[in-house]
Amino acid sequence: MTSSSLWQPFALGRVALPHRLALAPMTRSRANLDGTLGDHTATYYAQRASLGLVITEGTQPSEDGQGYLNTPGIYTPEHVESWRKVADAVHAGGGSLFIQLMHAGRMAHPDNTPHRRQPVAPSAVSADQDIRTAAGLQKAPVPRELSAQDIQATIAEFRHAAASAIAAGADGVEIHGANGYLLHQFLSPNANHRSDSYGGSLENRSRFVLEVAQAVADEIGADRVGIRLSPAMPLGGIDEGGTESVRAQYRHLVGELATLNLAYLHLHHVGDDELLRSFRDVWPTAVLVVRYGRTRGQIADDIDAGLADIAPLGRFALANPDVVERLRTGASLNEMDPSTIYGGGEAGYTDYPALAHA
Ligand SMILES: Cc1cc2nc3c(=O)[nH]c(=O)nc-3n(C[C@H](O)[C@H](O)[C@H](O)COP(=O)(O)O)c2cc1C
């Protein structure tokens, strides 16, 4: 059994959640090449509807936004139709669906996108990272610097993608500002070398994230928008400097985002609890916290400490469609199979057994 704090209901934006767990966003690379969803994706999410808040895998708002192989999109009428099946299936299971809008920026390879163009980013600085492609691992190339006009077009793409998510029946969207992708690249001094109003000072580096959040909130309503951030997370070659630089950057950013009254702030937290506490003090709505590698016994810790309202689950939920029931009853958990995480069909996707069949 886990801490009783997990089993309290919670009102998040427009949706009523039955408890304090959620599905963390996880890329599974099973979409079709045109960005529509594969045959088993509605089943995969429906199986996990008891998590309440179902946050989807990173989903590109445009062709430029795609970084990895077989990730889904939410910008064409076909994407909307395909996500509608997921929204209906999750709703039928009593869950709520937030589609994560992920623009990969420089964490991309042309072989993975429909247009095969050079990736875009705040500056022409390579992530110096390997990207999985159909031909195996390849280095992410040096990206093309977004012009001022491109930046406005990219913000408009986020706006369109958010409207498309709502048209598909989703309850909201999560803006992916974490883990080294486009928004995080704008925040980070080692990826953003711009000399215009989107680079230089920490205020300028925050501007793109704030404008995306504002545009998406204007489009679909702030209470249907969450944002994910990961202060100091080094993924994708990001280096945000020392503790004080990170604190200054994110105190500014979160302080400004707080004025938008979004549905939630979602932190992929790497350990600065003082910073986390300062977010909590200014953030007016829900705070979601994921800590990588959290053990089963630690899931409720941030809620119990007053640092978070919701504890989204990644890998435990990937391997256990009924993780909620398992945690509630103290049952054992399936182990995740690392070989079937990305790509493929039902194996390692929809065939993890629920308790009754375990
Ligand atoms: C297979 C896999 C795919 C992931 N894909 C995404 C993603 O698309 N977007 C995102 O924000 N985080 C992604 N993450 C990070 C998870 O949301 C989560 O923060 C992380 O796994 C830590 O939580 P856990 O220890 O409960 O797994 C991914 C993690 C895994 C394991």
Side-chain angles (χ1 to χ4, degrees), residues 174-262:
E174 176 173 293
I175 298 167
H176 196 348
N179 298 355
Y181 300 108
L182 183 69
L183 274 64
H184 202 183
Q185 292 158 26
F186 269 90
L187 294 173
S188 180
N190 82 326
N192 179 349
H193 294 173
R194 302 180 71 92
S195 52
D196 63 3
S197 61
Y198 292 93
S201 65
L202 65 90
E203 291 83 2
N204 281 356
R205 280 186 274 111
S206 302
R207 194 176 311 280
F208 179 69
V209 177
L210 292 170
E211 289 185 0
V212 168
Q214 180 76 62
V216 169
D218 287 347
E219 184 68 31
I220 64 172
D223 58 354
R224 295 204 279 205
V225 181
I227 189 161
R228 191 172 218 208
L229 301 174
S230 57
M233 174 73 75
L235 285 172
I238 293 291
D239 181 353
E240 298 185 279
T243 306
E244 288 314 317
S245 321
V246 173
R247 286 182 176 173
Q249 172 83 58
Y250 282 90
R251 282 187 175 139
H252 169 74
L253 176 67
V254 170
E256 292 294 312
L257 286 169
T259 66
L260 300 181
N261 263 306
L262 303 180

Side-chain angles (χ1 to χ4, degrees), residues 24-27 57-58 100 102 176 179 228 268 290-294 313-315 318 341-342:
M26 283 183 288
T27 293
E57 62 209 280
Q100 189 187 51
M102 166 171 160
H176 196 348
N179 298 355
R228 191 172 218 208
H268 195 178
V290 166
R291 292 187 194 240
Y292 193 84
R294 189 164 51 189
L313 300 176
R315 290 160 297 169
L318 187 158
I341 292 177
Y342 300 112

Side-chain angles (χ1 to χ4, degrees), residues 108-161:
H109 195 282
D111 283 5
N112 292 345
T113 64
H115 60 31
R116 307 247 160 173
R117 286 202 296 263
Q118 185 186 13
V120 297
S123 301
V125 180
S126 166
D128 196 26
Q129 302 284 309
D130 288 332
I131 305 273
R132 196 173 68 90
T133 70
L137 288 180
Q138 300 191 59
K139 272 269 179 273
V142 175
R144 175 175 72 78
E145 176 175 315
L146 289 163
S147 68
Q149 211 179 359
D150 294 332
I151 288 180
Q152 294 313 311
T154 307
I155 293 169
E157 288 167 359
F158 271 94
R159 191 185 262 277
H160 171 70

